[in-house]
């Protein structure tokens, strides 16, 4: 997500992963910025990562072993500074959540939220979401995938870098159970139109509202500070909710 606040100029830290952020070659949907944590984020990271962090090296996980129970499982890709993901996890203790974020300050900020609110139903990856999808999550293991406010790559020559593409959506489809939900949101109208085109053409998905229609914001998607700022400036927000049908 794009609500990247509460950062100060502290010494940089390295990723907890023992290998690079991504193993994939070719076009990337993100630019890896030099990460800097606040003291509070770093301290929370140091205390919480051993319990709440997941790595590529662990391989394909069994969510029941990771969380110690069987419960609806949600995945958020690109959680930014993690406030919204922590809010969702706190509001739904009967569900489990996995967050993916390549930028380390966001991971530290989320783990601070986990610690501050005593959350037990949340785990985090600090690697490329493509590796999480391909190497870490079993097929049909997810009840919901959320991609909120991904980088819009607004210049036309950069549209190929957008995360939401037909091939990516199909890989997500296999990780969702039949009946599971793919929830996309953006504040760029052109990207919203692109998302809709991709989803309408995607095999195995059906819009949860009328054909070609955008959804009202569900109550369980928190409004971020970034989104509130955009609304004050007159920016729109578009939500798409598609259900896996087969």
């Amino acid at each position: 997500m794009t609500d990247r606040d509460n950062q100060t100029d502290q010494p940089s830290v390295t990723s907890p992963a023992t290998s690079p952020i991504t193993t994939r070659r070719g076009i990337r949907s993100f630019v890896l910025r030099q990460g800097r944590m606040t003291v509070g984020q770093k301290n929370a990271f140091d205390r919480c990562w051993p319990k709440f962090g997941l790595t590529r090296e662990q391989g394909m996980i069994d969510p029941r072993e990771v969380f110690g129970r069987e419960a609806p499982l949600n995945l958020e890709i690109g959680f930014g500074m993690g406030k919204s993901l922590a809010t969702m996890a706190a509001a739904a203790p009967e569900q489990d959540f996995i967050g993916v974020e390549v930028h380390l300050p966001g991971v530290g900020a989320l783990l601070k939220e986990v610690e501050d609110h005593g959350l037990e139903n949340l785990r985090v990856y600090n690697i490329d979401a493509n590796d999480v999808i391909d190497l870490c999550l079993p097929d049909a293991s997810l009840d919901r995938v959320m991609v909120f406010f991904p980088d819009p790559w607004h210049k036309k020559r950069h549209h190929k870098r957008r995360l939401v593409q037909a091939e990516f959506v199909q890989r997500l489809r296999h990780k969702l159970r039949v009946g599971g939900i793919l929830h996309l949101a953006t504040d760029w109208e052109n990207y919203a139109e692109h998302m809709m085109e991709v989803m309408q053409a995607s095999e195995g998905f059906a819009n949860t509202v009328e054909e070609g229609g955008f959804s009202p914001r569900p109550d369980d998607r928190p409004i971020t500070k970034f989104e509130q700022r955009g609304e004050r400036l007159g920016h729109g927000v578009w939500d798409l909710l598609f259900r896996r049908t087969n």
Side-chain angles (χ1 to χ4, degrees), residues 3 17 52 56 70 82 93 107 117 130 142 148 174-175 185 218 224 236:
D3 51 324
F52 297 99
R56 184 191 302 115
E70 188 162 351
V107 175
H117 297 285
N130 287 293
L142 301 173
F148 298 155
H174 292 296
K175 302 304 171 180
T224 68

Side-chain angles (χ1 to χ4, degrees), residues 16 39 45 58 68 76 95 103 106 135 159 170 182 221 242:
V39 172
F45 176 89
Q58 291 172 259
E76 182 175 2
Q95 300 182 36
H103 301 291
L135 306 175
H159 284 184
Q170 284 305 308
L182 175 55
R221 180 175 75 74
F242 278 73

